[in-house]
Structure formats: structure tokens, C-alpha cells
Amino acid sequence: MIIAGAFAGTVALGIGLGFWASGDDSGPAGSAQQQSPSAGGSGAAPTGSHGQSPTPTPTRSYALSKAPRTIPAVRSHTAARGPGWRPVRGERVVVDDAGLADEGRLIAGELGLTYAGEKSDVQAGDVRLALNDGAGANPESYAMTVRGGRVNISGPTDAGVFYGTRTLKQEVHGGGTAPEGVVHDQPAKAVRGFMLDIARKHFTAGWIEDRVRELGDLKFNQLGLHFSDDQGFRIESDTHPEVVSRQHLTKAEVKRIVDLAAGRHITVVPEIDSPGHLGAVIAAHPELQLRNAQGVAASGAVDISKPAAAKIVDDLLNEYAGLFPGSQWNLGGDEYRALMVSNPSASYPQLAAAAVNKYGSGGTVSDLTTGWLNDRADTIRAHGRTMRVWNDGFFRGTSVQPAKDLQVGYWTGKEIGARQPVEYLSAGRKVINYNDEFLYYVLGQPNRFFYPTGQRIYEQWTPLVVRGTQAVSSRYDGQILGGSFAVWCDLAGSQTQDQVAAGIRMPLRATVQKLWDPGRPGLSWTQFKALAGKLG
């Protein structure tokens, strides 16, 4: 290996050997804990008989390793003395289980190593991937041991092993060395997401694939695609081709994105928002548009008193369930215009009449809207999905209750009848944090939205900060599944897709750091930003 060769050269010259750096020497990494085992390998020459010291000979001597610097930071590192590990072309990646072949091939290709498949023998320089029993362990956890010129990465699932390979990739980036010792790592939050609005702005398949690779290396595990809105419907459809925008992704392109994401343990979460945000569907079916008592059209809203509106949405939900095989689905449910007026029953008497017809004399427009959401949930539940709904798709005081298995995507507190996060949490709902104060990147910055900075997320936000800047009680921590950074394209021409990629670069890194470990980061923002620059 490179290190061994360099060491041999030093000994041959008869020069006293200094310390090999087995990590970055600029200080501790993030919030990683360094535990120092008893030192070994650097002792003095033994004393000979009669108390006389023999002639000194060169011995290997290594500084105690320092925790790796990665994004997100590893949770724990046990230091050790040794040369660490660097990739050498031709050395092997081997696996203990055939189910880790994808992870093995990926890291081998990235580091210029040879993927050798399932092997039980041991060779110098090996990177070995293994599954362990992991009873009761976080399924995304992993352990990585660097010792004796080899690397062993193990976890209870292939996802955990994959995250270990991401840590290794960052450690050796730019010619770096994976430090000697043992990493134990796991995420604090199960949902680490990035949501992209491809409905208002068309993003190319190649650009999205680049984001998938970036997200995978950062240990994100969800990619939300909001692909239907007033401005566009952006994925090819067989059941309703008439609603599809000229610029769109083909199903073949989407499948490549989904497959690429799956190989990096990222679930793609599709969203067909309804009953609002359906302007592209309405453009092809104007008869479905909601109109008030004066005949004025409600932007983007379908008339949920019309069975044809439910049918077309269910057609699309059923169709795309086959394209997106992941376990998660976003039903939307936000900003339905009928409920954004002071008196919904007076403004939309046809909805009021439909509510009474369906739910009896006490039925309200809110009941009818909640019933619509539950019906769409039934459609998706039949495909075995876990569903989320934007928080303003849940309404206070309805006799019809939202299905109990609907998770809350909390983004705003600005809607009519706004409710604090604790109202959902105290009712037992599980919440995903999309806090628009920190995590919303809205193109053109309309309506007092400002581009979020990585520094503000890094220094001020945690998953407990669900609305505004105040944290909810830590007793609700278990109900907050995680969070998602979101790009919304309200003023689509304000930035090119390359400008979007640059603008979200540091916010993404800050967000995943706080989802992986919400505690106070060990690096200052300046150090964190410099690390991000070093890692590329």
C-alpha cells in the first residue's frame, strides 16, 4: 500500500520516523466523540540483559487518530493508533452477503477499487461490507472499523452499510486518509428529505439525477416530487395524456430516477396535490373547475361536489402508484380555495348542499373536503402506501375526521384558522417538519419568503422547531419523524436550474446535519462551510 511503501522508504534511509497523520489535524470533527484506547505500537525499545539498552532501531509510531470530518458528522469515533486506510487501485471490495452487491459495486467504482463479490479470505487493503444481526438497532446505523490496513463496514441493513460507504468516500476524498479506529453512527431522524417542485418549473432528468447522487452522498433518504399544479403537469400519463404539459418527464426518465434513488436508499415521494393546485388538470377539463355563487372561478380548485373530479384524480393516483413503488405518498390537501374565504357555505352553495346530502344536516364544506381527502387516502392505501398531507389540509371542528394514519407535513401557520404544531402532536399525529421559516426555498422570494441560508439552519433550526422559530416540547420528539428541505418554483424564471443547485447547496448540508444529529454542532459555521468546500 502507499502508506506501507512510504514507511519502508523512511526506515531504509535510517531517519527517525515521525507520526503519520491518520486524519485531519485541524481539530475534532463535528459532534463525534473521541475515545482513546490504551496506546500501543509506539513503545520504546526493550531493555536488554544486565540493564543495558540495545542499540535503538526504528519502530512504527502513529499519532492517535482523530475523528473523521464528514457531512453529516459521525456520531461517535473511537480513536486508535495506526496508518489508517487509503484506496489503492486494484485492491478489493468484498461482501459477506450477496444482498450488498449494489453497495459494493458502487463504492468500488467510486474509489477505483475492484469489486470481488462474496469472499471469505482476507487480503491487504480490503474493504469488507457485512450485515450483522443488529437486534434492536437503528436500521440505518452502521459501524466502520479501520484497522491493519483494512476497512470493515457492517450494519443491520443494507441502508446502514450504504451510509458507512458514504462516510468512507468522504474520508478519502481528495487523497485523504480514513482514520484508524471505529466509527459508530446512526441518524437521529428517520425522514431526511428534499422536496422539489417540478410542476411550476421543468427540471431536466439529468439535473434531478445529479441531485439524487448529491442527496445519497449526504445520507438523505427521501426525494419528494411535486409534479402537478396550476402551472403544469410534468410526468407522462397514459390514462389522461390531455393533462400533461409540453415540457415533462417521460415515464422512462422517471423510472431511471426512481431506480437511481433506490440504489442510494432514497425513496421518491410523489405528490398529486388535490383538491386545490389542479390548474393543469382543469385546463384540459374546464367543466371541473370550482366556481362561487357569482360564477367566479376559484383558481386551481376542482369542484368536489362533482363525481368526475374524484374519478380523474383517482385515475391518476392509481396510474402513478405503479410508477413510484416506494412506501411513501403525499396527498397534498392544502390551500383549497373554498376554505380560504370567510363563509364557505355562502360562497359555494353547491359544496354546502353536497355536504348536507352526504353527511346530514350538520355537514359543512370542511366535512366535505375532509371526506374528499379520506377518499383519496383510500385509493392510495390500497397500494400499501404511508401517506402525508400538508397541515392546512386538516381542519378544526369537523364532524368528519381525517384518517388516523395520515401524517402531517407541517409547513405553515399562515392559513385561516392556523393551528400550532402542538395541536397535531397532542392528538397523536406524526409530523414531518417542512418549516417554511427555515426550509422553504421559494424562487423569486414572493410573499415575504426569503432564500434560506445554510448558516441560519445550522445555527438556529432543529427538528423540534416546527413553526416559526420556537421549538415544541422535547416530549414530542418521537412523533416528529424528521424534516424536509423544499424548493418551490412560484416565480419559475427567477433562477435557472443551475442557480437553484448552487443556492440550495449549503442549506441541504446544514439540514441533513441537523436531521442526523440535532445537537449543537462541533464545528462553527465557518468550519462547516470550509469542510463542505473541501469535500466538494
Side-chain angles (χ1 to χ4, degrees):
M1 293 181 63
I2 294 172
I3 292 177
F7 171 78
T10 304
V11 173
L13 291 171
I15 299 172
L17 182 67
F19 291 118
W20 277 103
S22 53
D24 189 304
D25 287 335
S26 53
S31 57
Q33 301 171 352
Q34 295 191 46
Q35 305 162 17
S36 302
S38 58
S42 60
T47 302
S49 57
H50 310 295
Q52 296 178 351
S53 297
T55 303
T57 57
T59 60
R60 296 188 181 216
S61 184
Y62 301 100
L64 197 62
S65 65
K66 295 182 179 180
R69 284 195 166 182
T70 60
I71 296 175
V74 301
R75 305 292 293 274
S76 171
H77 176 254
T78 301
R81 298 182 188 275
W85 180 89
R86 290 178 183 169
V88 175
R89 187 166 297 278
E91 290 181 344
R92 307 186 309 175
V93 174
V94 297
V95 299
D96 284 359
D97 189 291
L100 296 173
D102 289 345
E103 289 73 24
R105 288 191 181 97
L106 180 61
I107 190 65
E110 290 169 330
L111 300 186
L113 305 176
T114 298
Y115 177 67
E118 289 184 83
K119 300 290 182 183
S120 58
D121 65 312
V122 176
Q123 294 185 14
D126 276 355
V127 174
R128 179 172 295 276
L129 309 183
L131 296 175
N132 55 43
D133 55 20
N138 183 319
E140 295 184 300
S141 65
Y142 68 92
M144 180 169 67
T145 301
V146 178
R147 181 181 298 136
R150 293 185 294 274
V151 180
N152 290 308
I153 299 173
S154 64
T157 67
D158 53 351
V161 173
F162 171 74
Y163 295 135
T165 68
R166 299 307 88 191
T167 295
L168 181 64
K169 181 183 177 182
Q170 287 194 27
E171 287 177 333
V172 301
H173 178 82
T177 299
E180 200 87 3
V182 182
V183 166
H184 287 284
D185 202 13
Q186 65 179 37
K189 291 300 179 182
V191 175
R192 304 178 302 282
F194 169 59
M195 198 230 73
L196 180 64
D197 172 11
I198 64 171
R200 295 181 177 93
K201 181 180 180 69
H202 174 67
F203 289 85
T204 65
W207 189 93
I208 297 171
E209 289 169 357
D210 285 344
R211 300 289 73 71
V212 168
R213 295 184 185 96
E214 179 181 14
L215 295 171
D217 283 351
L218 292 170
K219 305 187 178 89
F220 281 89
N221 64 0
Q222 290 189 6
L223 168 64
L225 291 180
H226 174 92
F227 65 91
S228 170
D229 213 301
D230 298 348
Q231 295 82 353
F233 192 103
R234 302 290 183 180
I235 297 179
E236 175 186 0
S237 172
D238 299 316
T239 61
H240 290 281
E242 74 279 4
V243 308
V244 179
S245 301
R246 182 184 61 82
Q247 284 189 309
H248 65 271
L249 300 174
T250 67
K251 286 191 172 182
E253 288 174 324
V254 173
K255 186 177 187 306
R256 286 198 298 272
I257 291 167
V258 169
D259 289 348
L260 181 69
R264 285 158 171 76
H265 298 276
I266 296 170
T267 299
V268 180
V269 185
E271 180 191 0
I272 300 176
D273 202 347
S274 80
H277 295 282
L278 284 171
V281 171
I282 292 167
H285 295 275
E287 73 280 2
L288 300 181
Q289 186 154 33
L290 177 65
R291 295 181 180 275
N292 68 12
Q294 289 73 45
V296 177
S299 176
V302 295
D303 188 333
I304 60 175
S305 69
K306 295 182 175 181
K311 182 180 184 306
I312 193 170
V313 173
D314 282 346
D315 286 347
L316 294 166
L317 292 173
N318 284 318
E319 175 181 1
Y320 291 109
L323 184 62
F324 296 98
S327 61
Q328 306 292 313
W329 198 282
N330 191 339
L331 290 169
D334 65 313
E335 296 182 322
Y336 186 47
R337 296 293 177 177
L339 294 173
M340 297 173 71
V341 296
S342 58
N343 191 336
S345 294
S347 295
Y348 299 98
Q350 77 276 33
L351 299 185
V356 170
N357 183 59
K358 189 169 184 178
Y359 300 113
S361 60
T364 65
V365 176
S366 293
D367 287 324
L368 191 70
T369 308
T370 303
W372 165 282
L373 191 66
N374 286 342
D375 290 344
R376 307 294 74 76
D378 289 343
T379 300
I380 287 297
R381 192 181 295 106
H383 296 282
R385 305 298 197 266
T386 298
M387 298 159 289
R388 69 191 64 166
V389 177
W390 298 115
N391 65 284
D392 50 334
F394 295 82
F395 310 107
R396 183 187 281 121
T398 56
S399 59
V400 178
Q401 294 299 303
K404 293 186 180 300
D405 60 345
L406 298 179
Q407 298 174 352
V408 180
Y410 199 104
W411 70 281
T412 184
K414 303 180 178 74
E415 77 279 9
I416 293 175
R419 287 182 283 172
Q420 295 287 339
V422 70
E423 190 168 333
Y424 303 92
L425 293 164
S426 62
R429 293 278 178 188
K430 294 179 179 178
V431 171
I432 299 168
N433 188 332
Y434 291 82
N435 188 334
D436 65 351
E437 180 83 12
F438 289 92
L439 305 179
Y440 262 35
Y441 190 96
V442 185
L443 266 59
Q445 304 185 109
N447 302 321
R448 298 188 60 78
F449 282 108
F450 303 102
Y451 293 132
T453 67
Q455 182 173 3
R456 189 160 183 256
I457 296 167
Y458 189 77
E459 294 178 343
Q460 300 180 30
W461 181 79
T462 76
L464 290 174
V465 180
V466 182
R467 171 175 171 173
T469 59
Q470 298 301 309
V472 299
S473 169
S474 59
R475 71 174 177 271
Y476 296 119
D477 186 57
Q479 289 174 243
I480 299 173
L481 302 179
S484 181
F485 190 84
V487 170
W488 295 101
C489 302
D490 291 42
L491 299 176
S494 300
Q495 290 190 342
T496 66
Q497 58 182 18
D498 288 342
Q499 288 173 322
V500 173
I504 66 176
R505 184 176 179 277
M506 289 309 300
L508 282 177
R509 283 152 177 77
T511 299
V512 81
Q513 173 61 45
K514 303 304 280 290
L515 290 168
W516 195 266
D517 182 355
R520 183 181 178 87
L523 298 181
S524 69
W525 170 250
T526 299
Q527 292 170 321
F528 185 81
K529 188 175 180 181
L531 176 61
K534 177 182 176 182
L535 295 177

